[in-house]
Amino acid sequence: MRLSFILILFSFTVLSSYAQEGEVRGRVFNPVNNDGVPFANVVVLGTDIGTVSDEDGNYILTNIPPGLYNIRASFVGFRNKTFFEIQVTRARPVRLDFDLREEASELGEVTVDAEFTRSDETPISVRRLNTNEIERYPGGNRDISRVIQSLPGVASTASFRNDIIIRGGAPNENKFFIDEIEVPVINHFSTQGSSGGPVGILNVNLIKNVDVITGGFPADRMNSLSSFFEFQLKEGRKDKMFTQMTLGASELTLSNEGPIGEKTTYLVSARRSYLQFLFRQLGLPFLPTFNDFTFKTTTKINDKTELTFLGVGAIDNFVLNFDEPNNESEEDRENRLYLLENLPISSQWNYTTGLKLKRFRENGFWTFVLSRNMLNNRSFKYLGNDSSNPDNLLFDYTSQESENKFRAENSVFTKGFNFKYGVNYEFARYFLSNFDRSTLANEGGVINVNDKAFFNSYGAFISGSKYFNNERLLITGGIRLDGSDFGETAQNPLNQISPRVSLSYQLKPNLFWTANAGIYYQKPPYTALGYRNNEGELQNQLNDIRFIRSSQLITGIERVIPDKSRRFSIEGFYKHYSNYPSSIRNGIALANLGADFGVIGNEPVRSDSEGRAYGLEFLAQQRLFNNFYGIAAVTLVRSEFTNPNTEGFVPSAWDSRFIVSLTAGKRFGKNWELGTRWRYLGGLPFTPVDVENSSLREVWDLRGQATLDFNQINNQRLAAFHQLDLRIDKRYFFDKWNLNWYFDVQNAYNFQAQQPPILVPEREVNGQLKIDPNDPARYQMRLVDNPAGTILPTIGIIVEF
């Protein structure tokens, strides 16, 4: 039916032959004081189209044929800036504002395009992706969490989850900011205390670009050890309303933008999934449903004052499907029953709202950010899925995390020297209602807690950067202090002093050596901070839980060829972790638990584990040039942690060792585009199941799943994983609207990735579990293979009007 709809729409292409061409308009300005840059040159690279900005910095480019273009702005005394792969259509003018930074000295020799350089605050380990790169990424399904897997240092997994594993760090070591407002959750069905999830929350239609910072973190960012994601959303259209509708394989997305009066614009997006209907037709034992929304307004109060409001949220539900499929094989039936006995019924919702006020002056600006975010997580499970008898309740877990945050920062810019300082405060509430008689099954104990906890966190920073040697050398340094009342040691900010320094030296034109050294801190997850024992005490506060500490060293070489939009780099990194939480129950670091569905850290812990991650990253990047683009990223990495019950370092759950991602695409005539991605991931370690303990009837009846043998932590390793993804795009441009259809195939050659085997009980014909005739206290058990991977084709339609 969808293909028929596409073919009908194609028949209207002849109507576009007499249409007017596209238009790009915007402003060239100085980001330090928001003043316009008059008489700046704005050109469409590779064409004869160009113009000059007026006295206020405004410009208009007209008569541009629809297509993808690289557009550059330049002016004497300022750094050039290029926006790559700007999609020009006839349906609406493109809004493109250029922020040009002044050169630090009048004789500066640093001529690298600003799109390839790092900011003065983060001159190392920064990558940028724009909206077109995200949207057309093969196998990404317009999901930013999957798209960033093409970057060096980023590991993916063979499963369908979006866990972000960067430079050997755990998924919860990443922080996300949208227009400088922190958004803790960017995935549906996220794992509390960690991150990730099967589907991203953010609508790519609204994203202008995203910077991924994997090291050398600026001092104004806090509470992360592996990366910061800086998302910048587009501003709404200023002249009239514009709508985009996307029909994908699993959801329908509707976005809209336009003006609200003369000074305010808005963006809004809403998405609704229909996976539950598809999964029911396929006979799967679980039915997920997700919804999300994004809302942004931008108000130009005056030439020097700007106010941004942001709202992001999601609602997720996960129920079980007890319908029996027709013609089900014995193996499929066994796997289905196993999943039904183990998967909980769950629901989750989260939101973030925030205000950002930016006030400019001649030599800098103030930034004030006020935000609130909340996560509600509920899951429960009955023995045999029989809820009619309260005694069958295995566990019932509900928790809420809410944070209220304030941040104030002052940025000051002078000729050759910039500095910045600021403070932040956070008030958090953690609520927990937890009944559990399965976790402590071996000990015959029951967890029954219902309480809340409150935490205050605070911090301050100062940083600066300065050029030397005629702009060949850039030195950036900073220091921040952080404290929180979740533990005695953590209360004193002097125990969490975070110095950092970065260097960037131009060896010769467009060839740079960079280096960084720094110490960073991160709070343990709220599931650990708010854990209470059965006496109602904050157990981990009694254990003096501490900030996790990471000392990092990075160095690298980068070569840029601006006229061909190419970039080559190699970076080496070393991270040393200390004060890492470890489980008192099973004696392992939380870094070795993985990040599957559920909750990480809801248990008594101690800050007594150490870790290390080190490796090399190689990157070759070709921005759109002669209708070709590509990214080749190779990472060698080791990730290891100590555990209280083992000697020395053992591989962590994220020790993939070898990561390869090759992405390339080609644009053809008549707006056809072909993209492909191949990725390779070394086998991850895993902890085997404890067959002896799991087979006990009293244990299995309470847990319904295997226990792990923590005496063999991560001593087994999966086979390597690799996958090929393909994508075809076709665009049509009409007078008042655009049409894009795409065909995406994930895992094109159907690679079956190895996963840890599953321990399942043998069953009678009637479904009852078989008792071991040699030991009546046990069930008969067997290990079954658990491969992951299938060819996943997707057809999508995007309509803009």
Side-chain angles (χ1 to χ4, degrees), residues 204-264:
V204 65
N205 299 342
L206 309 185
I207 298 174
K208 181 179 180 181
N209 54 59
V210 54
D211 291 336
V212 184
I213 308 171
T214 57
F217 308 131
D220 61 340
R221 293 293 182 256
M222 72 297 290
N223 203 32
S224 178
L225 304 179
S226 283
S227 76
F228 289 93
F229 287 72
E230 301 282 352
F231 294 91
Q232 184 179 359
L233 299 188
K234 302 173 184 176
E235 287 190 17
R237 187 168 174 172
K238 296 183 177 182
D239 53 349
K240 62 180 180 179
M241 186 182 299
F242 186 78
T243 301
Q244 185 177 68
M245 182 177 68
T246 303
L247 181 65
S250 59
E251 74 277 342
L252 173 67
T253 305
L254 185 68
S255 57
N256 183 264
E257 61 180 280
I260 306 177
E262 296 182 357
K263 296 184 177 182
T264 303

Side-chain angles (χ1 to χ4, degrees), residues 133-203:
E133 291 175 299
I134 299 168
E135 186 171 346
R136 57 116 189 277
Y137 189 75
N141 200 23
R142 298 164 50 81
D143 190 334
I144 183 62
S145 296
R146 294 184 182 274
V147 174
I148 60 103
Q149 294 172 3
S150 66
L151 301 179
V154 183
S156 57
T157 64
S159 69
F160 53 87
R161 291 177 55 81
N162 284 348
D163 296 309
I164 301 174
I165 305 164
I166 295 180
R167 291 183 171 178
N172 67 346
E173 296 177 17
N174 309 299
K175 287 293 179 290
F176 312 99
F177 288 80
I178 301 179
D179 289 327
E180 300 186 74
I181 298 170
E182 185 177 349
V183 178
V185 180
I186 66 165
N187 283 296
H188 292 282
F189 303 103
S190 66
T191 300
Q192 191 174 7
S194 184
S195 75
V199 182
I201 289 175
L202 301 179
N203 179 2

Side-chain angles (χ1 to χ4, degrees), residues 317-328:
N317 291 289
F318 188 95
V319 298
L320 301 180
N321 178 19
F322 296 101
D323 297 341
E324 295 187 7
N326 297 325
N327 303 319
E328 185 180 33

Side-chain angles (χ1 to χ4, degrees), residues 546-565:
R546 303 185 180 190
F547 277 85
I548 307 171
R549 185 179 190 266
S550 178
S551 303
Q552 303 186 15
L553 295 172
I554 309 168
T555 188
I557 297 288
E558 182 175 61
R559 174 82 165 99
V560 177
I561 307 176
D563 58 339
K564 295 186 178 180
S565 303

Side-chain angles (χ1 to χ4, degrees), residues 6-267:
I6 294 171
L7 292 174
I8 293 172
L9 291 174
F10 286 177
S11 65
F12 289 101
T13 56
V14 68
L15 297 178
S16 65
S17 59
Y18 300 103
Q20 62 182 5
E21 303 292 32
E23 180 180 291
V24 176
R25 61 174 61 192
R27 183 169 177 258
V28 184
F29 68 100
N30 186 335
V32 171
N33 51 29
N34 205 37
D35 288 344
V37 178
F39 314 119
N41 294 310
V42 183
V43 298
V44 181
L45 299 181
T47 74
D48 296 327
I49 302 172
T51 189
V52 176
S53 62
D54 64 19
E55 293 183 354
D56 297 320
N58 299 310
Y59 74 92
I60 301 178
L61 294 167
T62 58
N63 296 320
I64 307 174
L68 276 182
Y69 297 96
N70 300 334
I71 303 177
R72 174 174 296 168
S74 61
F75 189 68
V76 176
F78 288 77
R79 301 179 189 176
N80 298 341
K81 183 160 188 175
T82 302
F83 284 111
F84 290 87
E85 302 185 38
I86 301 302
Q87 182 67 66
V88 177
T89 73
R90 298 185 181 100
R92 64 163 173 172
V94 175
R95 179 74 189 187
L96 203 59
D97 294 330
F98 290 89
D99 53 326
L100 301 189
R101 286 287 183 93
E102 287 189 80
E103 297 285 9
S105 69
E106 295 184 2
L107 298 176
E109 298 178 3
V110 182
T111 59
V112 178
D113 191 284
E115 191 73 13
F116 277 109
T117 60
R118 289 77 56 206
S119 70
D120 293 349
E121 295 176 318
T122 54
I124 191 171
S125 302
V126 180
R127 317 293 183 215
R128 167 167 289 189
L129 294 169
N130 61 37
T131 182
N132 277 289
E133 291 175 299
I134 299 168
E135 186 171 346
R136 57 116 189 277
Y137 189 75
N141 200 23
R142 298 164 50 81
D143 190 334
I144 183 62
S145 296
R146 294 184 182 274
V147 174
I148 60 103
Q149 294 172 3
S150 66
L151 301 179
V154 183
S156 57
T157 64
S159 69
F160 53 87
R161 291 177 55 81
N162 284 348
D163 296 309
I164 301 174
I165 305 164
I166 295 180
R167 291 183 171 178
N172 67 346
E173 296 177 17
N174 309 299
K175 287 293 179 290
F176 312 99
F177 288 80
I178 301 179
D179 289 327
E180 300 186 74
I181 298 170
E182 185 177 349
V183 178
V185 180
I186 66 165
N187 283 296
H188 292 282
F189 303 103
S190 66
T191 300
Q192 191 174 7
S194 184
S195 75
V199 182
I201 289 175
L202 301 179
N203 179 2
V204 65
N205 299 342
L206 309 185
I207 298 174
K208 181 179 180 181
N209 54 59
V210 54
D211 291 336
V212 184
I213 308 171
T214 57
F217 308 131
D220 61 340
R221 293 293 182 256
M222 72 297 290
N223 203 32
S224 178
L225 304 179
S226 283
S227 76
F228 289 93
F229 287 72
E230 301 282 352
F231 294 91
Q232 184 179 359
L233 299 188
K234 302 173 184 176
E235 287 190 17
R237 187 168 174 172
K238 296 183 177 182
D239 53 349
K240 62 180 180 179
M241 186 182 299
F242 186 78
T243 301
Q244 185 177 68
M245 182 177 68
T246 303
L247 181 65
S250 59
E251 74 277 342
L252 173 67
T253 305
L254 185 68
S255 57
N256 183 264
E257 61 180 280
I260 306 177
E262 296 182 357
K263 296 184 177 182
T264 303
T265 62
Y266 74 90
L267 291 172

